[in-house]
Amino acid sequence: MKNLFLTILLAFAFSACEKREPKYRIDGKSYCQQIFDERDNQITHFKNWELIENFYVSPDNKKMLVYHRPDKSPAFLITLYDLQSGKVVAECEPGWACFGVRWTKDYLIYTWATTGGGERFDYMDYKNLNLEKEINGPCFYEDPEDDILIGYAENVALSVDFYEYSTGKEIKSVSVTEDFERENDHVHITRSVSDVTKVGKRKYKIEVCCFVDGKEDEDLFKTFIVEV
């Protein structure tokens, strides 16, 4: 019995170690910062005075994307590393400030702010970081669990657009103005999506507020339930 208990304990400890995610850090001299893993293996080999703004590791711990800027360079770069081979896969100059990275089977999704105050999802090829497709919008609701990305505008909203999260493929576009326009013909209407909420599997509640000229004190609210 004692040997059995010891075997189970060792198996549990081994399993825990196997599942533990490796940790990475930015370290080194002030003028020569690099990224290291927890065993002090050096991942990056930047020149002096490189600014490492952030880095992102894929869920399978096989890839790392680093957002950085070389000394005296006016632009940031993103560099994709293969953590198994320790080699650089690809490097390119991205758009504006990095909001984050999403990892799907077929695409690395780089997200960044646009000049108009919205957000952009860039779907990039893992082999070379070539831009395969892009989705722009003022606001997004992300549901990676059900593979859904929802784009909408909080102000002057005309429709709510649904995409496959993993591929960027558009699934459907739902109008949020038709009923209001039928009820208030020839009247200027400002639409505003106030909230998007998940209420079931691939099922979402869209709350819309309309401001109608001449009825400023009567905000009109409507709720849409959309199944994808």
Side-chain angles (χ1 to χ4, degrees):
M1 180 64 71
K2 182 178 180 180
N3 289 338
L4 177 61
F5 176 76
L6 182 60
T7 300
I8 294 173
L9 184 63
L10 289 174
F12 178 79
F14 179 77
S15 176
C17 290
E18 284 289 302
K19 294 180 180 179
R20 186 173 61 83
E21 295 182 358
K23 295 181 180 180
Y24 300 88
R25 71 185 191 279
I26 299 174
D27 206 344
K29 299 182 183 297
S30 60
Y31 61 86
C32 187
Q33 296 282 285
Q34 306 291 341
I35 298 176
F36 298 84
D37 66 14
E38 57 192 355
R39 296 182 178 177
D40 291 329
N41 295 313
Q42 187 172 331
I43 308 301
T44 61
H45 294 83
F46 295 134
K47 294 180 180 179
N48 289 348
W49 303 112
E50 188 93 12
L51 172 62
I52 303 175
E53 184 72 17
N54 214 335
F55 64 88
Y56 307 87
V57 180
S58 63
D60 60 8
N61 296 300
K62 293 181 179 180
K63 304 178 186 69
M64 174 187 289
L65 189 79
V66 183
Y67 181 61
H68 60 103
R69 188 182 68 193
D71 182 36
K72 299 180 182 179
S73 172
F76 275 83
L77 301 174
I78 52 175
T79 303
L80 181 64
Y81 292 84
D82 183 327
L83 293 176
Q84 294 180 303
S85 67
K87 295 181 179 180
V88 172
V89 178
E91 184 174 87
C92 71
E93 183 178 317
W96 287 62
C98 183
F99 273 15
V101 176
R102 282 71 165 164
W103 311 85
T104 71
K105 178 182 177 182
D106 299 313
Y107 296 102
L108 182 154
I109 308 174
Y110 173 79
T111 64
W112 52 282
T114 61
T115 54
E119 192 171 355
R120 174 168 150 171
F121 284 63
D122 282 353
Y123 286 73
M124 295 178 159
D125 190 316
Y126 280 116
K127 296 186 180 77
N128 46 34
L129 291 182
N130 285 348
L131 179 62
E132 299 292 322
K133 62 185 68 178
E134 63 185 62
I135 301 175
N136 290 288
C139 302
F140 287 96
Y141 178 90
E142 300 179 46
D143 182 11
E145 180 183 8
D146 283 342
D147 198 26
I148 296 294
L149 177 66
I150 304 174
Y152 64 96
E154 289 185 324
N155 297 306
V156 196
L158 299 175
S159 64
V160 177
D161 304 313
F162 294 80
Y163 306 88
E164 283 186 357
Y165 190 93
S166 58
T167 67
K169 178 182 177 181
E170 184 170 357
I171 300 172
K172 66 194 301 184
S173 182
V174 178
S175 171
V176 297
T177 66
E178 290 179 356
D179 291 342
F180 291 116
E181 290 171 347
R182 281 196 296 268
E183 296 168 4
N184 301 274
D185 194 22
H186 305 301
V187 177
H188 176 70
I189 305 173
T190 302
R191 285 78 51 176
S192 173
V193 174
S194 58
D195 196 22
V196 177
T197 309
K198 183 175 180 178
V199 294
K201 184 173 179 60
R202 296 172 74 96
K203 187 175 182 180
Y204 308 89
K205 180 172 71 173
I206 313 296
E207 296 181 8
V208 181
C209 177
C210 284
F211 305 94
V212 182
D213 281 358
K215 299 182 180 180
E216 285 78 6
D217 297 331
E218 300 179 27
D219 296 344
L220 304 176
F221 293 90
K222 187 172 181 63
T223 298
F224 295 83
I225 299 295
V226 182
E227 293 190 59
V228 184

